[in-house]
Amino acid sequence: MARTVVVGGGIGGLAAALAVAQQGHQVVVLERADRFAEIGAGVQLAPNGLHALDRLGLGDAVRETAVRMEALRFMDGVSGEHVASMPLTGPYQRRFGNPYVVVHRAELHGVLLDACRRHRAVELRSGSGVAGYEQDAVSATVVLDDGRRVGGDGVIGADGIHSALRGQLVGDGAPVVSGLTVYRAVIEMSRVPDELRSPTVTWWAGPGCHFVHYPIAGGKYLNLAASRDDGATEAFAGIPATRERVRREFEALGDIPHRLLELGDDWRSWVLVDRDPVRRWTDGRVALLGDAAHPMLHYAAQGACQALEDAVLLGSAVGGPAGELPARFDAYNAERRDRTAQIQDLARRSTRLWHPAGRAAEERNAMLSSLSATELHDHVAWMHGARDFGSADALPGSGHAVRAPQQAGA
């Protein structure tokens, strides 16, 4: 029986641990924090993410607590005009085989954590910060911050955008600062006027900014996320922001988005970062997944989905003899790199759709409003309809990423 060490106890790391354990292998999960927990608010899961959870045996558990979205709505944030909606029921679900849902990040993490705790082959170790790795022809070893070592047949790095394993494997320095700041808050749905409640992901596009909201936690809360193209040059995370600051940053938006923004009490802000795509995120018996491998801005709403896809394919990769692991990891890398790079690029370019002003915004609105529901579904089929999660899934043709509102990130 092979043994795999997973570094990182977030959504991707726990999904990978479960996928590997289901292949009959022992797994040790190392988490830097003192306990296994997840912070944050809403996570959008398109059908491809639910397909990955179904393959892990957890799709039904997630669907029980998730809120099913009826549409992705694109609004002109200045005039208040409804520009276009992509229906997510009926033909969408029949075509892609699953609904489009939103779930609280802690709920999704909890489902994965419970499954790992129940599996006899998974060992969870908190308080285990990782500094790097070593390997030879037959094994790989994780080196902890305190010098201890944890060995196995292979290592999976799921330690996020600041991954210590990526620093050693890829060596591409600090993440790329996007120049975008996002302000986030969660409010009780009972505080939201009835006419502003809907089971949709709604985003309001304005000049150099946009605002997204959707229900989470079974509809008990409304998740608010407002992004500003402010040219920020230094990264920060989770810094408190006043309502006055949010009001000032998004003063270009109209009455309805401002009514919702005014409801936010405990605003916090982040300068968004990502990394350039790389061709290789494996090294012998070491492989990266999720944000450690291909961190992306959240504007494609695919970060969690792509980590889950990675985990499923990594589970398959470790299913053979331990001696074949380097070759299997290489195959995983080859299967995933083009798909994930395409989504990284899509997320970066999404503000071209969301942030125009004046005549450019009018032309965008006219173009989007001319598309039928079927045409909108065609544009997201390569992402939302994926079942194989690799090169077998079609990639979009040139221009798709900026022609339709396929970006729904918070």
Side-chain angles (χ1 to χ4, degrees):
M1 179 182 296
R3 172 179 157 107
T4 301
V5 181
V6 175
V7 179
I11 289 170
L14 294 180
L18 189 61
V20 171
Q22 289 174 346
Q23 294 291 327
H25 297 290
Q26 294 288 334
V27 185
V28 179
V29 183
L30 304 176
E31 167 57 36
R32 177 175 296 277
D34 291 336
R35 63 190 183 95
F36 283 80
E38 184 65 271
I39 60 174
V43 174
Q44 299 179 50
L45 293 175
N48 57 306
L50 286 172
H51 286 314
L53 287 164
D54 284 333
R55 289 174 63 171
L56 295 174
L58 300 178
D60 287 342
V62 172
R63 282 186 285 266
E64 284 180 6
T65 61
V67 183
R68 298 190 179 208
M69 295 293 97
E70 294 182 358
L72 304 179
R73 295 195 305 168
F74 190 98
M75 312 291 290
D76 187 305
V78 177
S79 68
E81 171 193 1
H82 173 254
V83 177
S85 286
M86 180 189 299
L88 301 176
T89 57
Y92 176 91
Q93 290 191 34
R94 288 193 293 273
R95 178 172 180 176
F96 300 132
N98 253 317
Y100 191 109
V101 305
V102 296
V103 62
H104 196 287
R105 183 173 292 272
E107 291 176 337
L108 175 58
H109 184 266
V111 169
L112 290 160
L113 183 59
D114 288 345
C116 286
R117 284 173 170 160
R118 291 194 304 267
H119 204 294
R120 292 181 299 177
V122 178
E123 178 187 353
L124 302 172
R125 298 185 190 177
S126 59
S128 300
V130 169
Y133 66 88
E134 302 169 344
Q135 63 177 317
D136 55 30
V138 296
S139 65
T141 300
V142 169
V143 182
L144 302 187
D145 290 339
D146 60 9
R148 289 178 297 153
R149 285 162 165 73
V150 182
D153 296 279
V155 171
I156 294 173
D159 48 343
I161 193 167
H162 299 287
S163 168
L165 298 193
R166 183 189 178 105
Q168 179 176 344
L169 197 158
V170 180
D172 55 351
V176 177
V177 178
S178 69
L180 296 158
T181 301
V182 61
Y183 299 82
R184 295 188 175 108
V186 175
I187 58 176
E188 293 183 0
M189 190 65 76
S190 60
R191 299 178 55 204
V192 179
D194 289 345
E195 67 271 18
L196 299 182
R197 303 182 192 181
S198 66
T200 63
V201 177
T202 302
W203 65 103
W204 304 83
C209 67
H210 70 277
F211 168 44
V212 181
H213 55 83
Y214 50 84
I216 59 172
K220 291 176 59 179
Y221 299 96
L222 189 68
N223 188 64
L224 310 177
S227 293
R228 177 80 180 158
D229 190 349
D230 58 5
T233 58
E234 294 186 12
F236 58 77
I239 302 299
T242 65
R243 184 185 289 113
E244 289 71 26
R245 173 66 181 273
V246 174
R247 183 188 299 123
R248 182 170 65 253
E249 292 295 327
F250 299 94
E251 61 183 358
L253 298 181
D255 176 64
I256 294 178
H258 267 282
R259 288 173 65 189
L260 289 169
L261 289 170
E262 288 290 334
L263 295 176
D265 292 322
D266 187 21
W267 286 99
R268 292 187 175 271
S269 58
W270 287 256
V271 170
L272 300 181
V273 297
D274 66 355
R275 291 184 183 274
D276 295 332
V278 294
R279 296 293 293 171
R280 189 175 186 84
W281 60 70
T282 60
D283 173 22
R285 293 176 173 273
V286 180
L288 305 179
L289 72 73
D291 282 349
H294 43 72
M296 54 190 65
L297 301 180
H298 59 252
Y299 296 138
Q302 279 285 312
C305 291
Q306 292 308 303
L308 292 168
E309 290 186 10
D310 287 347
V312 168
L313 288 196
L314 277 169
S316 300
V318 302
E324 297 178 0
L325 195 58
R328 288 175 173 269
F329 275 174
D330 284 347
Y332 149 78
N333 189 128
E335 281 289 294
R336 294 292 295 153
R337 63 190 176 203
D338 290 340
R339 174 170 171 79
T340 56
Q342 186 77 28
I343 297 174
Q344 286 177 283
D345 181 60
L346 165 65
R348 282 183 170 181
R349 291 187 290 120
S350 64
T351 55
R352 299 182 190 176
L353 182 72
W354 286 349
H355 292 181
R359 181 60 180 271
E362 294 174 1
E363 292 175 351
R364 172 205 61 202
N365 292 354
M367 178 273 293
L368 292 177
S369 63
S370 71
L371 297 174
S372 68
T374 298
E375 289 173 322
L376 292 172
H377 294 166
D378 289 344
H379 281 290
V380 301
W382 69 279
M383 266 195 310
H384 296 188
R387 301 292 184 95
D388 297 323
F389 308 145
S391 58
D393 289 307
L395 296 174
S398 60
H400 280 206
V402 289
R403 287 203 57 225
Q406 54 187 279
Q407 303 88 359

